Amino acid sequence: MKLATLKDRTRDGMLVVVSRDLTRCVSARPIAATLQAALDDWTHVGPRLADLAHDLELGALPSERFHEHDALSPLPRAYQWLDGSAYVNHVELVRKSRGVAMPESFWTDPLMYQGGSDSFLAPRAPIRMPTEDWGIDLEGEIAVIVDDVPLGATRDEAAAAIRLIMLVNDVSLRNLVMPELAKGFGFLHAKPSSAFSPVAVTPDELGPAWDGGKVSLPLLVTVNGQPFGKADAGVDMTFDFPALVAHAAKSRPLAAGTIVGSGTVSNRDPDGSPGRPVAEGGVGYSCIAEIRTVETIRTGKPSTPFLRYGDTVRISMKDAKGHSIFGAIEQTVSPMTDGGDSGAGNG
Amino acid sequence: MKLATLKDRTRDGMLVVVSRDLTRCVSARPIAATLQAALDDWTHVGPRLADLAHDLELGALPSERFHEHDALSPLPRAYQWLDGSAYVNHVELVRKSRGVAMPESFWTDPLMYQGGSDSFLAPRAPIRMPTEDWGIDLEGEIAVIVDDVPLGATRDEAAAAIRLIMLVNDVSLRNLVMPELAKGFGFLHAKPSSAFSPVAVTPDELGPAWDGGKVSLPLLVTVNGQPFGKADAGVDMTFDFPALVAHAAKSRPLAAGTIVGSGTVSNRDPDGSPGRPVAEGGVGYSCIAEIRTVETIRTGKPSTPFLRYGDTVRISMKDAKGHSIFGAIEQTVSPMTDGGDSGAGNG
């Protein structure tokens, strides 16, 4: 089953069920008006949505054309957004470029931060920033939405609570990261609103690419239309989603609708060295910080700039047959004055 | 105007308007079913709730008895909970006991962390923890709920967005703090679900005790019925609420319903030394970590233990005439097995 949330002038948008090929949709309003409402009572609502999806796939009911650019993030706002750093390769690389050793414990104890979830950007909304000087970066990631998870959940309980899977662009302001890391209180300024893929899918939609813990497909990232990354989300994921969810629930329950992110997808090169750029035959990167790190390690300084006004990033994932699974996140960096919706950010 | 949210088997509860003396209430359902719904459209809903409050005060409509123990936190779950450390005295003391100097910048650049907001404890709900070994502590604080705040809001814009004021018990697990501070990604395990006062009030309810930026009244904290703290929330607040809100909005908008906390209320002694315990004629403390810090500075080691199963904390605030403004947070620390609602935590 594939779900999306269409713009409708409310903060939470309107839930629709989307066809597998992303061309058609049907309103889920008679069953659940919003995705959060569906998640609040998934035991009852989930099967009814699945029936609707089945009928939509058969062409057994009236449907409308689905346009990815009409979609908000599946949860336009959420009660919780926790982002891990499951691809420890990424963490080690970024720290190496800063000249900081990574503690051995990072291989066994996940990094995770509590992110802002009060308003997410729509998947095609501009990334509006008042200045380019903050070091605007993308982070291509996978995320899951979970049902209620009890405090102290086991790995199995965590795995059983995974309801939906999405892609994320975890927008990051690199030049604001260091002072916040030094304070130790986590990211506030360095992590503005994220954007999620137009469509969230149930795990069964991934077929053999989902093993219950991770998504074994390349995450396709382009910058200004040029291939930038195609790292496999199933490779080098040190902590899979059940591990991340159980980690988050160590000392508190997680409420239905909690989103848990993987952190930037990142693959080592097969020879064990940091990944090479796509142009050199590598799988590339899912954020600019990482290519800058590799450049720094190789030449002493970074050469790829962070994002500038007018730059466009695109994040998507294709199934084995080449069909888009989640639709595409496609965002252009813009100044605040360009269009002007500086409000709740659903743009 | 005073607002509360009553338990009603839904995750968001039922919004009621409460009389100034906290004895009567009336359902706000015809105007807004939940507090978040009211905040989503405060421009229209706020004045209508104020009319209802006016009629309730006059006895001009049927009302029901208000019982604080029927209340959930005013927002039983929220889209954002940001907690500052505005009482820098507290930060300096806690670091001193760890033997860590506080950077000078902490006097001009607020500490703030993104807290979990997916489920808050009810004001009379037990604090259920699987072990006492995590160093269970209370933190008595003030918090505001804001309307939409644009990215880059000025201090004046931030001040104008403050809609409601509450008390908080920001439950903290002290023995989990240090490893998370070292990781730099903020608090995940060390800050489980917080609880808010039974009632949230509009700033005008505080009269002269609210100057547009802070609440100048003592925060009354007891532990097992014994006076533990009565620090004045208007004293030694280095960053007032407009400053905290503007800080939070530096690189992202804040959506309506965002809660911003003050951090632990803490006063220096009039002679400039760390505050003395209430038993010694001081104003005491709003968390146990602080009295342990003072004990460590004085005698080389802490003597007051963190909370144990069965311990009860109470946080309240009285107006100049001695009447409770917000109702009381009153919570008993309990093992997980005692009653058993380990779920969404509204207990």
Side-chain angles (χ1 to χ4, degrees):
Chain A
M1 170 165 62
K2 299 192 175 190
L3 299 171
T5 296
L6 298 185
K7 296 176 190 173
D8 73 346
R9 294 173 181 274
T10 69
R11 293 177 189 258
D12 296 304
M14 181 183 70
L15 182 62
V16 296
V17 175
V18 181
S19 63
R20 215 155 262 162
D21 65 2
L22 306 182
T23 63
R24 311 290 304 170
C25 67
V26 58
S27 170
R29 194 175 290 273
I31 301 171
T34 68
L35 181 52
Q36 183 63 51
L39 290 159
D40 282 348
D41 188 22
W42 191 261
T43 308
H44 296 101
V45 172
R48 295 181 62 200
L49 292 174
D51 288 346
L52 193 62
H54 182 73
D55 289 351
L56 174 66
E57 220 54 54
L58 293 178
L61 42 76
S63 63
E64 291 176 60
R65 190 90 178 87
F66 176 69
H67 298 287
E68 293 183 22
H69 61 253
D70 291 338
L72 299 172
S73 283
L75 286 171
R77 54 181 177 174
Y79 292 106
Q80 183 154 250
W81 158 230
L82 296 168
D83 199 9
S85 288
Y87 300 85
V88 179
N89 182 49
H90 164 80
V91 181
E92 194 171 37
L93 272 178
V94 171
R95 292 178 76 105
K96 189 178 283 184
S97 77
R98 282 195 225 124
V100 189
M102 192 183 78
E104 269 305 301
S105 64
F106 282 22
W107 291 103
T108 51
D109 177 36
L111 280 179
M112 183 176 282
Y113 74 90
Q114 183 100 33
S117 58
D118 58 321
S119 65
F120 295 126
L121 299 175
R124 301 295 167 93
I127 299 167
R128 292 189 199 285
M129 283 293 147
T131 171
E132 297 172 315
D133 296 343
W134 286 341
I136 305 163
D137 199 358
L138 74 148
E139 284 197 348
E141 311 187 6
I142 317 290
V144 298
I145 306 179
V146 296
D147 208 328
D148 290 312
V149 177
L151 187 159
T154 63
R155 177 184 166 80
D156 285 351
E157 288 173 316
I162 295 171
R163 295 284 165 266
L164 294 165
I165 302 172
M166 308 179 287
L167 307 182
V168 197
N169 180 13
D170 183 45
V171 181
S172 299
L173 302 173
R174 297 296 176 194
N175 296 338
L176 305 184
V177 163
M178 287 304 295
E180 293 198 319
L181 272 180
K183 287 161 98 176
F185 270 44
F187 305 115
L188 190 68
H189 296 154
K191 294 285 187 178
S193 305
S194 297
F196 294 82
S197 51
V199 167
V201 312
T202 47
D204 58 289
E205 291 290 341
L206 295 171
W210 174 252
D211 66 358
K214 53 190 191 295
V215 179
S216 291
L217 286 168
L219 184 69
L220 306 175
V221 178
T222 71
V223 176
N224 295 328
Q226 298 302 309
F228 189 80
K230 51 180 181 177
D232 192 311
V235 173
D236 290 337
M237 192 185 194
T238 306
F239 307 102
D240 66 5
F241 282 108
L244 293 174
V245 172
H247 178 78
K250 175 180 168 178
S251 66
R252 56 179 176 177
L254 310 179
T258 291
I259 306 171
V260 178
S262 67
T264 308
V265 176
S266 173
N267 292 169
R268 274 213 175 78
D269 207 59
D271 71 4
S273 65
R276 281 166 297 145
V278 174
E280 297 178 21
V283 297
Y285 315 96
S286 307
C287 68
I288 292 174
E290 201 164 306
I291 193 169
R292 287 170 59 91
T293 294
V294 171
E295 290 163 351
T296 302
I297 293 169
R298 285 178 171 187
T299 72
K301 64 180 171 54
S303 50
T304 303
F306 288 120
L307 299 172
R308 296 282 177 180
Y309 293 146
D311 286 345
T312 297
V313 300
R314 186 182 163 93
I315 301 171
S316 63
M317 183 173 268
K318 290 178 177 169
D319 66 19
K321 291 179 179 162
H323 299 133
S324 175
I325 300 172
F326 303 95
I329 297 169
E330 189 172 308
Q331 301 188 275
T332 300
V333 178
S334 308
M336 297 297 293
T337 46
D338 184 14
D341 61 339
S342 61
N346 285 334
Chain B
M1 169 165 62
K2 299 192 175 190
L3 299 172
T5 296
L6 299 185
K7 296 176 190 173
D8 74 345
R9 294 173 180 276
T10 70
R11 292 177 190 257
D12 295 304
M14 180 183 71
L15 181 63
V16 295
V17 175
V18 181
S19 63
R20 216 154 261 164
D21 65 1
L22 306 182
T23 63
R24 312 289 306 171
C25 67
V26 58
S27 170
R29 194 174 291 272
I31 302 171
T34 67
L35 181 53
Q36 182 63 51
L39 290 158
D40 282 348
D41 187 21
W42 191 260
T43 308
H44 297 102
V45 171
R48 295 180 63 198
L49 292 174
D51 288 346
L52 194 61
H54 182 73
D55 289 351
L56 174 65
E57 220 54 53
L58 291 178
L61 43 76
S63 64
E64 292 176 59
R65 192 89 178 86
F66 175 70
H67 298 286
E68 294 182 23
H69 61 254
D70 291 338
L72 299 171
S73 283
L75 287 171
R77 52 181 178 175
Y79 293 105
Q80 182 153 252
W81 157 229
L82 296 167
D83 199 10
S85 289
Y87 299 85
V88 180
N89 180 50
H90 164 81
V91 181
E92 194 172 37
L93 271 178
V94 171
R95 292 179 75 106
K96 189 178 283 186
S97 78
R98 281 196 226 125
V100 189
M102 190 183 79
E104 270 304 301
S105 64
F106 282 21
W107 291 103
T108 51
D109 177 36
L111 281 178
M112 185 176 280
Y113 73 91
Q114 183 101 33
S117 58
D118 58 320
S119 66
F120 295 126
L121 299 175
R124 303 295 168 92
I127 299 167
R128 293 190 200 282
M129 283 294 147
T131 170
E132 297 172 316
D133 295 342
W134 285 342
I136 305 162
D137 198 358
L138 73 149
E139 283 197 349
E141 310 186 8
I142 317 290
V144 298
I145 306 179
V146 296
D147 208 328
D148 290 313
V149 176
L151 188 159
T154 63
R155 177 184 166 79
D156 285 352
E157 288 173 316
I162 295 172
R163 294 284 165 266
L164 294 165
I165 303 172
M166 308 179 285
L167 308 181
V168 196
N169 180 15
D170 183 45
V171 180
S172 298
L173 303 173
R174 298 295 176 193
N175 297 338
L176 305 184
V177 164
M178 287 303 295
E180 292 198 320
L181 272 179
K183 287 160 99 175
F185 270 44
F187 305 115
L188 189 69
H189 296 153
K191 296 283 187 177
S193 306
S194 297
F196 293 82
S197 51
V199 167
V201 312
T202 47
D204 59 288
E205 291 289 341
L206 294 171
W210 173 254
D211 66 358
K214 53 189 190 297
V215 179
S216 292
L217 286 168
L219 185 70
L220 307 175
V221 177
T222 70
V223 176
N224 295 328
Q226 297 302 307
F228 188 80
K230 51 179 182 178
D232 192 312
V235 173
D236 291 338
M237 190 184 195
T238 305
F239 307 103
D240 66 5
F241 282 107
L244 293 173
V245 171
H247 178 78
K250 176 180 168 178
S251 66
R252 56 179 176 178
L254 311 179
T258 291
I259 307 172
V260 178
S262 66
T264 308
V265 176
S266 173
N267 293 168
R268 274 215 174 75
D269 207 59
D271 72 3
S273 65
R276 281 166 297 144
V278 174
E280 297 177 21
V283 297
Y285 316 96
S286 306
C287 69
I288 292 173
E290 202 164 306
I291 194 171
R292 288 170 59 91
T293 293
V294 172
E295 289 163 352
T296 302
I297 293 168
R298 284 178 171 186
T299 70
K301 64 181 170 56
S303 49
T304 303
F306 288 120
L307 298 172
R308 295 283 177 178
Y309 293 146
D311 285 345
T312 297
V313 300
R314 186 181 164 93
I315 301 172
S316 64
M317 182 173 270
K318 290 178 177 168
D319 66 18
K321 290 179 178 162
H323 300 132
S324 176
I325 300 172
F326 303 94
I329 298 169
E330 189 172 307
Q331 301 188 275
T332 300
V333 178
S334 307
M336 298 296 294
T337 45
D338 183 15
D341 60 341
S342 61
N346 285 334

